[in-house]
Amino acid sequence: MLKNWAYSVFVVFLLTFSSMGTTSAQVIPEARDRHLPNLPSYEYQRLHFGFLVGFNCLDYHVYNTGDRTPENKFVARYAEVESLVPGINLGIITDLRIAKHLNLRALPGVSFGERNLTFYDEFGNKIDEDPVRIKSTYLDLPIMVKYSAYRLRNVQPFVDAGTSFKYDLARDKQSHFRMKSFDTCLDVGAGVDFYLQYFRFSVELKSSFGLTNIYRAQVEPDIEDLPYQQALRSLKARIFCINFFFE
């Protein structure tokens, strides 16, 4: 499933790149003929705004314990994210130009996603037929520094990096264990800006890597939850996104 989804994202990215290049050439043929770029002074604006929509895949870096209970009452378990489920990102853009080719960006928004944790016994057999579904609704605040390469008429590649702060509204709605409310991630991405006649459209591929353990062990878990909790030592978020910016 992951391979198919990744292939689909790659195809969409290529189609978008091709279609936007064609659109930008067709929208103002006069500018093309005169070798004039669209929005010629756009990247020199001190401050501008916009919005973003995108898709995400939420993942975990799972640290297992492999422990048994003291009474050896339950079989040791370990967990892994077996498949990735696409989710949705929505946000607004505040962009401040701080130097030539360098911008500071705040991208507050909300994202919806899901992770499926599959638990196995010590022999590699699935404990449950259905995975444990962990749904997340993040209030998200990425602070990014964007470096843009030299503009090639209406196309400009870029890379960006920064930190995102996340608050999970669905942390207490999980089965068998709980998650912590706050998380901090390291974000890195790359993409392309396309300058159209009236606005700038951008496509970005971004990865986020959690810096903190978001698994919260219960002091006195229910007896049916104990086998799941004893398998997990910590969970760190990993998030992969494809975002579309309209500025």
Side-chain angles (χ1 to χ4, degrees):
M1 179 179 178
L2 174 58
K3 291 182 178 179
N4 293 336
W5 190 88
Y7 177 75
S8 300
V9 169
F10 181 71
V11 171
V12 169
F13 186 83
L14 289 181
L15 291 176
T16 303
F17 185 94
S18 302
S19 64
M20 294 311 299
T22 304
T23 302
S24 120
Q26 292 177 347
V27 167
I28 51 168
E30 298 85 358
R32 180 194 60 191
D33 295 339
R34 299 172 187 173
H35 302 286
L36 296 178
N38 296 330
L39 306 174
S41 60
Y42 187 89
E43 65 267 34
Y44 300 107
Q45 292 183 12
R46 182 68 175 173
L47 181 68
H48 70 263
F49 304 92
F51 68 93
L52 70 90
V53 296
F55 302 96
N56 65 62
C57 273
L58 306 185
D59 192 9
Y60 283 132
H61 188 174
V62 182
Y63 297 85
N64 294 286
T65 63
D67 294 339
R68 294 175 181 268
T69 58
E71 302 83 6
N72 282 333
K73 199 170 183 178
F74 299 101
V75 177
R77 302 180 180 213
Y78 68 93
E80 66 179 28
V81 179
E82 192 173 60
S83 61
L84 300 181
V85 180
I88 298 175
N89 304 323
L90 300 170
I92 58 176
I93 303 165
T94 301
D95 186 292
L96 176 66
R97 183 173 182 262
I98 56 178
K100 186 177 181 181
H101 301 294
L102 206 61
N103 293 65
L104 180 65
R105 293 162 69 83
L107 308 168
V110 60
S111 59
F112 308 90
E114 179 180 318
R115 300 171 174 96
N116 293 334
L117 266 180
T118 302
F119 284 79
Y120 298 87
D121 63 22
E122 56 191 349
F123 305 107
N125 302 313
K126 288 184 180 180
I127 298 297
D128 300 313
E129 197 60 37
D130 296 324
V132 177
R133 302 184 185 279
I134 303 175
K135 296 183 178 181
S136 294
T137 301
Y138 286 118
L139 296 180
D140 198 6
L141 179 58
I143 305 295
M144 307 290 290
V145 175
K146 175 181 177 182
Y147 175 79
S148 302
Y150 283 98
R151 178 173 168 178
L152 304 174
R153 210 170 127 219
N154 292 321
V155 177
Q156 188 174 33
F158 67 86
V159 294
D160 57 3
T163 301
S164 60
F165 306 93
K166 303 180 186 297
Y167 181 81
D168 192 354
L169 297 175
R171 67 194 183 281
D172 292 327
K173 299 180 180 179
Q174 316 301 342
S175 300
H176 302 302
F177 43 82
R178 296 290 182 265
M179 298 297 172
K180 295 178 182 178
S181 305
F182 292 96
D183 194 14
T184 304
C185 294
L186 173 66
D187 295 359
V188 292
V192 181
D193 294 326
F194 300 95
Y195 292 84
L196 308 183
Q197 186 175 10
Y198 299 111
F199 64 93
R200 185 174 72 183
F201 173 80
S202 308
V203 182
E204 178 197 41
L205 296 176
K206 186 176 77 170
S207 298
S208 299
F209 304 95
L211 301 178
T212 61
N213 173 25
I214 57 176
Y215 169 63
R216 185 177 69 190
Q218 299 181 49
V219 177
E220 296 182 356
D222 296 334
I223 193 69
E224 64 270 17
D225 297 338
L226 185 58
Y228 297 91
Q229 294 206 42
Q230 72 175 19
L232 298 174
R233 180 159 53 91
S234 68
L235 295 171
K236 290 188 177 181
R238 292 191 298 193
I239 304 173
F240 308 100
C241 302
I242 176 169
N243 289 324
F244 305 94
F245 299 90
F246 302 83
E247 305 174 60

